[in-house]
Amino acid sequence: MISFNKITITGHITEDMIIKMTQNRFLIGTFGICYNEVKKIGEEFKTTPHFFQVKVFGDKVDYIKDRVKKGVYCLVSGKLLTERYTNHNGVEVIKVVLQAEDLSFEDKRQTQARKIQTLQEIQERKTQIIDNKKLGESIKLPQVSSQEELPIIDVDSMPF
């Protein structure tokens, strides 16, 4: 029987990545991610946060180490792994972690700044158009080509 283990989560990173190295100099990076599940109950919306531990292995750790910062919005795609260990009290702990295969980052503050800049540019352009109309200047729109300038294509000579 074929099994399938793939998960994709988007959310905010909850802590900077902790990097460890094995004796064989293999890198392991660990960080947390939280996504908020929003449910409508009656007329109200209820938000429930869900926290996951993400593990990154090998060269990916070195590649993303500067981008994994608390608060950064992240898309993580990978597979679920089960880790078992005995804690210092002698109790066996079973934990599910997400092994990252693909990651994408976006700082919400930068995104918000881009949106604000774009909105300001749109507002400035609207103001400029209104000012031009007040001054009696006309706004020149691109001219549409006349029929004579368009090439004539013989449909019957097309190969398809």
Side-chain angles (χ1 to χ4, degrees):
M1 177 178 280
I2 297 174
S3 61
F4 188 74
N5 182 0
K6 186 75 168 174
I7 185 169
T8 301
I9 293 178
T10 59
H12 289 92
I13 295 173
T14 60
E15 59 190 344
D16 293 350
M17 184 164 56
I18 298 168
I19 301 172
K20 295 181 181 178
M21 186 181 295
T22 66
Q23 292 176 345
N24 298 335
R25 302 192 55 81
F26 187 73
L27 293 174
I28 301 171
T30 306
F31 64 94
I33 189 169
C34 174
Y35 84 90
N36 291 316
E37 178 183 21
V38 180
K39 291 182 183 178
K40 186 174 182 182
I41 300 174
E43 293 299 315
E44 292 188 27
F45 290 93
K46 181 181 177 191
T47 303
T48 306
H50 297 277
F51 296 88
F52 290 90
Q53 184 178 39
V54 179
K55 288 206 173 187
V56 184
F57 297 98
D59 294 337
K60 288 180 186 174
V61 174
D62 207 26
Y63 181 73
I64 65 166
K65 67 182 178 188
D66 296 329
R67 303 195 70 194
V68 179
K69 302 291 179 197
K70 183 176 180 177
V72 172
Y73 192 73
C74 180
L75 179 141
V76 180
S77 183
K79 61 184 178 180
L80 296 176
L81 300 176
T82 305
E83 292 184 349
R84 296 171 186 256
Y85 62 93
T86 304
N87 68 13
H88 62 278
N89 294 329
V91 178
E92 184 181 19
V93 177
I94 301 172
K95 181 169 66 170
V96 176
V97 298
L98 195 161
Q99 179 182 336
E101 294 170 353
D102 297 311
L103 298 112
S104 178
F105 303 95
E106 183 174 7
D107 189 337
K108 282 284 193 175
R109 291 167 284 207
Q110 291 175 350
T111 303
Q112 187 65 23
R114 278 197 311 270
K115 286 180 184 178
I116 290 170
Q117 182 180 3
T118 304
L119 290 172
Q120 287 173 342
E121 288 170 359
I122 291 169
Q123 187 60 41
E124 288 172 7
R125 182 69 180 135
K126 285 180 180 179
T127 304
Q128 182 183 9
I129 290 171
I130 292 169
D131 290 345
N132 286 345
K133 285 183 179 180
K134 287 179 184 176
L135 295 172
E137 297 176 16
S138 61
I139 299 171
K140 296 184 179 182
L141 298 175
Q143 297 294 320
V144 179
S145 302
S146 67
Q147 280 287 26
E148 296 172 17
E149 295 175 15
L150 297 176
I152 298 172
I153 300 173
D154 182 13
V155 180
D156 294 331
S157 66
M158 293 182 151
F160 47 89

